[in-house]
Amino acid sequence: MENRKRETFSSGIAVFFATLGSAVGLGNIWKFPYLTGANGGGAFVFTYLICILLVGMPVMISEFYIGRKTRKNAVGAFKELKAKPFWKSIGFMGVISSFLIMFFYSSVAGWVYSYVFKTLKGDFAVLASQSMEQAAATVSQQFDAAVGGPVSPFVWQVIVMAVVSIIIIAGVRKGIERITKTLLPLLFVLIIICGIRALTLDGAVPGLKFLFQPDFSKLSPSVILAALGLAFFKLSLGMGTMITYSSYFTEEDNLFVTSAKVAISDTIVSLLAGIAIFPVVFTFGMEPAAGTGLLFKTIPLVFSKIPFGNLLLTAFFFLTSIAATTAMLSLLEVPVAYFIEEKEMSRNKAVLLTSGIILLIGILTVHPKSIFGNVVIAGKGFFDLFDFISSNILMPIGGLLISIFVGYIANREDTENELSNHGTLNNRGMTKTYLNILRYVTPALLIIVFLNCIGIIKL
Ligand code: PHE
């Protein structure tokens, strides 16, 4: 029983906020809108929602089961379950995915941090007196200047990693709980304000249509793969984050309910971000497919002509930086818990080693306009390459393996026992439905999307 002595989150509400803190991040506010824009809008959103329901949630519940049952990191958990060594590869792939994501995530988080600073300096105050065309041009130039310099984006990335490392070194409960519990609700309120303001703009109707009206002719194998990859990225799945986090859950936590609450809240935040951004795109005549800069080129315009606009803008980027930071805490926790528990490193050493590697390689991802901008591998820059390999390949493969492991290999009684909190919850029917989806629907969808993407079958 000695492994039960590991720290746990203090209460159910702390479990929820910490897990939501991992899920909600740049994925909602930056990646969801930019991918929706780049992949044609409604049909992509629709596909994404299906992926959350039939792939994301079943995989999330499975990870919760593995993590809480074993109370181990993503590699140790499979050892603890006495699984064949092969299954540990899920944990190893997870450690690699964490690194790949952090390489570019820390870079985008650096842009967000720098925007907090820019808004405090009042860089966007000029927008109030500019015409629409001028304002759209100003935000675009500001973005290029902020991320295009050879040095400053890297400096911001270093600041991001310093902040994250300090919080992680302070420990699980104190560090993660305190921040997520207080600030996530505030971010939620601010995005709602942002959305309401955006709905008063002239482009509100075309913006909403773009987001919610599916045009299925826009679907292609790569669009479907992108939606699937986003579902994994969004809910922090297929790479051990949720295994690691749920290893800190309390015994009383209802794993089904937590997963539903996290998935629904997370999706609401993403949709709200879309509602805040696309009306701006259509009001100011911008391109929905503006790419990674979309968030940074639109949000300053939402607040440009309203009272206290600059203050709200600062608050928006500040709270986004907090969401990005809590998501990074969970990302870093995967390799850190691995180094501590499997390689017997001290917590401080593990954090420093992980952060060091991230900075060393992460520099490759600073914006395409900077020094590494021209290096292209397999048609992609480092930024896109790291993103593609992690979200669209490794995490869905991790998810496939997790669904096969829990659906077919793990002891069924054990699974039912853990999901019902040792018989204290009356949820047999729910468990049955979940296991059926996990065994038949989830793996089948994942395999079909993969085969479709490499051209072996045609949807
Ligand atoms: N879910 C986070 C976001 O949307 C990113 C993340 C991915 C965090 C994987 C942990 C693990 O921003």
Side-chain angles (χ1 to χ4, degrees):
M1 285 305 269
E2 45 102 21
N3 57 0
R4 297 265 150 174
K5 275 199 233 113
R6 286 172 99 220
E7 273 187 282
T8 55
F9 290 118
S10 60
S11 63
I13 189 90
V15 164
F16 170 64
F17 274 117
T19 313
L20 198 61
S22 166
V24 173
L26 294 174
N28 310 69
I29 297 162
W30 162 75
K31 199 175 186 191
F32 172 83
Y34 114 68
L35 283 184
T36 300
N39 289 299
F44 173 83
V45 174
F46 181 82
T47 314
Y48 168 72
L49 295 177
I50 301 274
C51 292
I52 290 282
L53 192 68
L54 295 178
V55 179
M57 287 185 59
V59 171
M60 191 192 295
I61 296 164
S62 310
E63 293 201 28
F64 284 175
Y65 150 64
I66 296 173
R68 193 178 64 175
K69 164 119 191 84
T70 60
R71 305 235 174 246
K72 284 270 154 56
N73 66 77
V75 173
F78 289 94
K79 259 199 225 158
E80 181 83 9
L81 287 172
K82 310 230 167 9
K84 295 233 157 59
F86 165 77
W87 297 101
K88 282 198 302 189
S89 59
I90 298 177
F92 287 124
M93 279 191 326
V95 173
I96 295 172
S97 295
S98 291
F99 275 114
L100 289 173
I101 295 177
M102 278 300 294
F103 294 153
F104 69 89
Y105 206 96
S106 56
S107 166
V108 181
W111 306 348
V112 175
Y113 277 36
S114 79
Y115 262 61
V116 177
F117 184 64
K118 276 170 77 62
T119 56
L120 279 174
K121 278 198 306 170
D123 283 5
F124 296 103
V126 287
L127 298 177
S129 55
Q130 288 184 329
S131 71
M132 283 210 199
E133 293 78 42
Q134 281 171 330
T138 306
V139 282
S140 205
Q141 282 155 8
Q142 295 264 19
F143 175 72
D144 291 344
V147 304
V151 178
S152 101
F154 184 62
V155 172
W156 283 107
Q157 202 173 10
V158 172
I159 295 174
V160 165
M161 289 314 300
V163 170
V164 174
S165 304
I166 290 168
I167 299 174
I168 290 245
I169 287 175
V172 176
R173 185 182 292 186
K174 275 188 271 123
I176 301 177
E177 272 190 19
R178 205 183 295 153
I179 294 180
T180 45
K181 252 196 307 201
T182 30
L183 292 178
L184 271 187
L186 269 182
L187 174 64
F188 196 69
V189 172
L190 204 70
I191 300 185
I192 292 180
I193 297 180
C194 215
I196 293 174
R197 162 64 184 151
L199 291 179
T200 65
L201 297 172
D202 293 342
V205 174
L208 291 182
K209 272 197 177 152
F210 180 79
L211 190 60
F212 292 113
Q213 204 172 62
D215 167 2
F216 291 107
S217 69
K218 298 248 167 74
L219 285 185
S220 67
S222 66
V223 170
I224 298 174
L225 182 68
L228 179 75
L230 180 64
F232 276 93
F233 182 89
K234 266 309 323 107
L235 296 179
S236 317
L237 297 174
M239 51 168 288
T241 301
M242 289 302 176
I243 295 181
T244 310
Y245 256 43
S246 55
S247 73
Y248 305 117
F249 281 10
T250 60
E251 292 291 326
E252 294 77 39
D253 196 57
N254 184 333
L255 302 180
F256 285 117
V257 174
T258 300
S259 106
K261 283 202 290 200
V262 170
I264 292 171
S265 320
D266 181 74
T267 306
I268 292 177
V269 176
S270 298
L271 294 175
L272 284 171
I275 294 173
I277 286 176
F278 288 106
V280 181
V281 169
F282 289 94
T283 307
F284 287 82
M286 301 165 108
E287 205 28 75
T292 53
L294 185 65
L295 165 74
F296 302 90
K297 293 177 184 171
T298 48
I299 292 294
L301 297 169
V302 177
F303 291 120
S304 63
K305 290 197 165 56
I306 52 175
F308 305 109
N310 203 48
L311 194 69
L312 288 171
L313 190 59
T314 308
F316 180 89
F317 280 110
F318 173 70
L319 292 170
T320 304
S321 73
I322 301 291
T325 307
T326 56
M328 282 187 286
L329 295 177
S330 71
L331 270 163
L332 230 66
E333 195 63 32
V334 177
V336 166
Y338 167 72
F339 284 135
I340 295 175
E341 290 172 19
E342 303 302 312
K343 299 281 166 221
E344 286 168 15
M345 256 184 218
S346 71
R347 191 164 187 93
N348 294 3
K349 205 165 152 197
V351 173
L352 291 179
L353 175 70
T354 309
S355 305
I357 297 175
I358 292 167
L359 282 176
L360 214 63
I361 304 185
I363 191 172
L364 298 174
T365 67
V366 287
H367 197 263
K369 288 231 162 71
S370 71
I371 32 180
F372 298 103
N374 297 326
V375 184
V376 172
I377 298 169
K380 295 181 193 302
F382 283 111
F383 190 108
D384 292 331
L385 191 70
F386 293 152
D387 185 8
F388 185 84
I389 298 176
S390 51
S391 294
N392 294 9
I393 301 179
L394 291 180
M395 294 161 90
I397 292 181
L400 179 63
L401 294 180
I402 287 170
S403 61
I404 294 174
F405 181 78
V406 176
Y408 294 94
I409 312 247
N411 181 315
R412 182 115 182 193
E413 221 172 285
D414 242 28
T415 313
E416 287 172 353
N417 208 10
E418 189 68 33
L419 290 173
S420 68
N421 294 354
H422 309 283
T424 47
L425 301 173
N426 184 5
N427 57 8
R428 284 198 146 264
M430 172 99 83
T431 307
K432 216 167 162 196
T433 313
Y434 147 76
L435 281 172
N436 280 334
I437 296 179
L438 187 76
R439 284 163 65 91
Y440 306 113
V441 183
T442 310
L445 281 180
L446 282 165
I447 291 171
I448 290 172
V449 173
F450 272 133
L451 294 183
N452 183 35
C453 213
I454 48 181
I456 294 187
I457 55 167
K458 231 169 162 32
L459 284 185

